Amino acid sequence: MSLKKKFFLFLDLLMITGLIFFDQYTKRWAVIWLKDKPAYNLINGILELNYLENQGAAFGMLPNQKVFFIFVAIVILSVVGYVLLKMPDHKKYTILHFLFSLIVAGSIGNMIDRVRYDYVVDFIYLVRPNFPIFNVADIYATVSALILLILLLFVYKEKDLDFISFKQKRYRELK
């Protein structure tokens, strides 16, 4: 593994750690200042802080499925870890490092809550358009996954992503 590759992975790890810390800090803040209190209006009729203990996934789907969610998070982390290790250390992949680090941080941030509390602390509420209550880790994972999807559909070509192929190269191709 090249020194440049190790540096990229170190930066990924550093960013993931910082993002997880910030997510956990905001959730701790929500527990201290919002739990058992009425919603706090930030922008009247648009944005408020409202404490919720979410035992499901997005929109409260699949409540009380802790083992399933932890399993899904481990699968996501494994796939992303594989991709990060295989990703070339070329400049055009820098944004992918950033997006995958956000996905990892979001997955780990919510997994920490599920393991510690059996629920995820949510506290950000968009009154209009009546969006489900969410947290910082959800923002990391959702926004980065959306940007990643756009990049994969419209920017990166199939040949740019050959490094994640699970196919074995034929002997002739190796020459």
Side-chain angles (χ1 to χ4, degrees):
M1 187 181 305
S2 73
L3 187 60
K4 188 174 180 183
K5 176 79 164 180
K6 288 179 183 178
F7 181 69
F8 266 111
L9 292 174
F10 173 74
L11 288 179
D12 291 339
L13 188 59
L14 196 62
M15 186 170 71
I16 290 166
T17 303
L19 291 167
I20 292 169
F21 177 80
F22 181 69
D23 170 65
Q24 292 298 301
Y25 176 81
T26 61
K27 289 173 180 174
R28 182 72 185 136
W29 179 89
V31 170
I32 292 169
W33 294 101
L34 300 173
K35 187 174 182 174
D36 299 324
K37 295 184 175 93
Y40 181 80
N41 246 340
L42 288 177
I43 303 172
N44 195 24
I46 298 174
L47 178 64
E48 58 185 42
L49 300 177
N50 194 349
Y51 183 83
L52 173 72
E53 295 174 356
N54 185 355
Q55 295 181 341
F59 313 107
M61 295 184 305
L62 301 172
N64 303 313
Q65 297 296 317
K66 174 183 173 179
V67 173
F68 172 72
F69 292 128
I70 291 173
F71 174 75
V72 168
I74 290 170
V75 169
I76 289 169
L77 294 172
S78 299
V79 170
V80 171
Y82 173 81
V83 170
L84 285 172
L85 286 172
K86 292 296 223 173
M87 192 179 305
D89 53 5
H90 191 274
K91 187 178 178 180
K92 72 179 173 181
Y93 298 106
T94 303
I95 186 69
L96 294 183
H97 275 273
F98 178 71
L99 294 173
F100 283 124
S101 294
L102 283 165
I103 290 169
V104 167
S107 296
I108 292 174
N110 282 339
M111 188 167 54
I112 288 170
D113 283 13
R114 288 190 199 289
V115 169
R116 286 173 70 188
Y117 310 120
D118 291 333
Y119 57 83
V120 174
V121 173
D122 288 336
F123 59 94
I124 304 168
Y125 178 48
L126 292 172
V127 178
R128 290 211 195 333
N130 192 23
F131 199 77
I133 301 173
F134 56 95
N135 62 46
V136 173
D138 296 336
I139 295 170
Y140 296 161
T142 305
V143 172
S144 59
L146 181 62
I147 294 170
L148 180 63
L149 179 65
I150 291 167
L151 288 174
L152 293 176
L153 289 174
F154 301 110
V155 176
Y156 289 96
K157 307 298 179 221
E158 187 175 342
K159 66 179 176 56
D160 294 328
L161 304 173
D162 281 347
F163 68 91
I164 56 173
S165 174
F166 291 99
K167 296 182 215 167
Q168 293 291 327
K169 293 185 178 182
R170 286 181 265 152
Y171 179 75
R172 280 193 347 226
E173 293 174 348
L174 296 174
K175 285 187 177 182

